[in-house]
Amino acid sequence: MSWGGVTLVILFLGMLRAFHYAWVLIPGYYIIVSDRSRRVKIAALLGGMAAVILCFAGSQYLSAHWAAVFYSDTGKITETLMGYLELVASGLGGIKQFLSQVIQINISAIGSVIEYLQGGKMSGVVLVVFFVQELVLLVETVRGIVTGDRRTAWLMGLTLVIGGMIYEADIILYTIDQCLRMLLSFVIFSGYLICMKAHPVSKGVRQGVEIALVVAALCMNTSSFALPQADNGVDTEELTASLASALEPDEDDLWGNTIAKPVESSHLQTTICLPTYMSTSTCTKSYLSAAIANDTVKSKYIMLPDGNSLNATCEEKYEIVWQGDGHTIYQVWKTENEE
């Protein structure tokens, strides 16, 4: 494959979510400040824009035609974004309300990060490393300005802004639980950047904090780093067939093809054996508990591992449709044909 094809693949895989397009600020800056002629700069910028548009169009096509219908057609993120845009467009009062909501989301996010750290979860480690790297990038930006190193200051400053934009988009449009995988690419990139460009003290701070957090997480919660489980003698083909017979596809309601489940750090065998038309909606235990109590569970099914404290509540409210492999699946609601 040519270098151009490889570049497009990297662009596509790195920008499957719209907020990742903030990364184009960095090559855009270097194109603008380069010594090339104006004609070459314009051609490079137009070529970059064309590549971004092509990648975005490709991701939308694949999402619409190849993704599970539950993920491709819910419109939740679009609704959230449009709601915020309407608030901002409504005037000063709407802007104040929007800022108030954003501040509250950020406060709640910090609270979640603290809980993750107390529980020794890897997501907490990644998030704190992200905050430390943002602080290092800020220090390096100021250092570049003071020393007159304009290019380093711009590079560090743009990376700092990009990190902030991706983080805010994550917690506003998604949830803090999903930041681990969405921020990991930024953490890796900015980590390499700091190692290459930053002052030795900044490098030491970043690496020291990361090592300390990983060691602490390993000591506090080894299940977060569990190796793949060994063969327990379960016939996975039989397990897959059993789940498929109990969970029929729902053509009328997309949520009928989803299973709400609490976060699990291991024992993914049951989840992997679910029918291909089923999607899982992974929830924190507190959220799922509140949704069950308030009757706001959108998914048709709930899957819980044996020993989970929510089993007793689900047994009282819902019908058991499947049991096995250390899990129980409850049916939350029925379709018209089932009633």
Side-chain angles (χ1 to χ4, degrees), residues 136 173 295 304:
V136 170
L173 298 179
D295 294 320
L304 298 174

Side-chain angles (χ1 to χ4, degrees), residues 273-286:
C273 290
L274 287 170
T276 55
Y277 49 80
M278 298 299 298
S279 298
T280 57
S281 181
T282 305
C283 316
T284 60
K285 187 176 181 180
S286 58

Side-chain angles (χ1 to χ4, degrees), residues 222-229 265-266:
T222 55
S223 65
S224 291
F225 303 87
L227 294 172
Q229 64 190 53
S265 59
S266 59

Side-chain angles (χ1 to χ4, degrees), residues 128-299:
V128 173
V129 169
F130 164 76
F131 294 137
V132 170
Q133 289 186 174
E134 285 287 275
L135 180 59
V136 170
L137 289 170
L138 176 60
V139 170
E140 289 300 305
T141 301
V142 174
R143 190 175 71 86
I145 294 172
V146 172
T147 59
D149 189 352
R150 189 182 67 176
R151 292 215 168 188
T152 298
W154 270 104
L155 178 60
M156 296 292 183
L158 285 174
T159 307
L160 170 69
V161 171
I162 290 169
M165 293 169 66
I166 294 177
Y167 172 78
E168 290 297 326
D170 282 347
I171 63 173
I172 292 173
L173 298 179
Y174 297 89
T175 63
I176 188 68
D177 303 324
Q178 298 177 333
C179 275
L180 171 63
R181 55 191 177 86
M182 295 186 182
L183 280 176
L184 199 54
S185 61
F186 174 83
V187 169
I188 292 172
F189 172 81
S190 58
Y192 275 117
L193 180 64
I194 289 170
C195 289
M196 289 188 296
K197 297 286 187 178
H199 189 275
V201 174
S202 295
K203 296 179 186 179
V205 169
R206 184 256 179 200
Q207 293 170 343
V209 170
E210 183 174 338
I211 292 171
L213 288 171
V214 171
V215 170
L218 277 167
C219 294
M220 294 173 64
N221 185 6
T222 55
S223 65
S224 291
F225 303 87
L227 294 172
Q229 64 190 53
D231 183 6
N232 57 2
V234 173
D235 187 335
T236 55
E237 292 186 2
E238 182 180 341
L239 177 60
T240 301
S242 173
L243 286 164
S245 64
L247 308 171
E248 296 182 356
D250 191 335
E251 302 293 339
D252 300 320
D253 191 333
L254 300 180
W255 286 102
N257 300 317
T258 66
I259 298 179
K261 61 185 288 292
V263 179
E264 294 176 348
S265 59
S266 59
H267 197 74
L268 298 176
Q269 181 172 264
T270 311
T271 303
I272 293 171
C273 290
L274 287 170
T276 55
Y277 49 80
M278 298 299 298
S279 298
T280 57
S281 181
T282 305
C283 316
T284 60
K285 187 176 181 180
S286 58
Y287 174 84
L288 188 55
S289 177
I292 293 171
N294 300 328
D295 294 320
T296 56
V297 179
K298 290 186 176 182
S299 298

Side-chain angles (χ1 to χ4, degrees), residues 24-34 36-53:
V24 301
L25 290 172
I26 292 178
Y29 163 74
Y30 279 104
I31 290 173
I32 292 172
V33 300
S34 69
R36 302 286 184 175
S37 66
R38 181 178 297 179
R39 182 176 299 178
V40 172
K41 290 181 181 180
I42 293 174
L45 288 171
L46 290 176
M49 291 172 59
V52 168
I53 292 171

Side-chain angles (χ1 to χ4, degrees), residues 239 243 246-247 259-262 264 267 270-271 274 288 292 301-308 310-316 318-332:
L239 177 60
L243 286 164
L247 308 171
I259 298 179
K261 61 185 288 292
E264 294 176 348
H267 197 74
T270 311
T271 303
L274 287 170
L288 188 55
I292 293 171
Y301 304 100
I302 295 175
M303 182 169 70
L304 298 174
D306 294 347
N308 191 288
L310 296 177
N311 275 300
T313 305
C314 288
E315 288 177 7
E316 294 178 0
Y318 309 127
E319 175 187 354
I320 295 176
V321 295
W322 185 88
Q323 279 185 309
D325 198 34
H327 287 77
T328 300
I329 297 179
Y330 304 90
Q331 184 167 330
V332 178

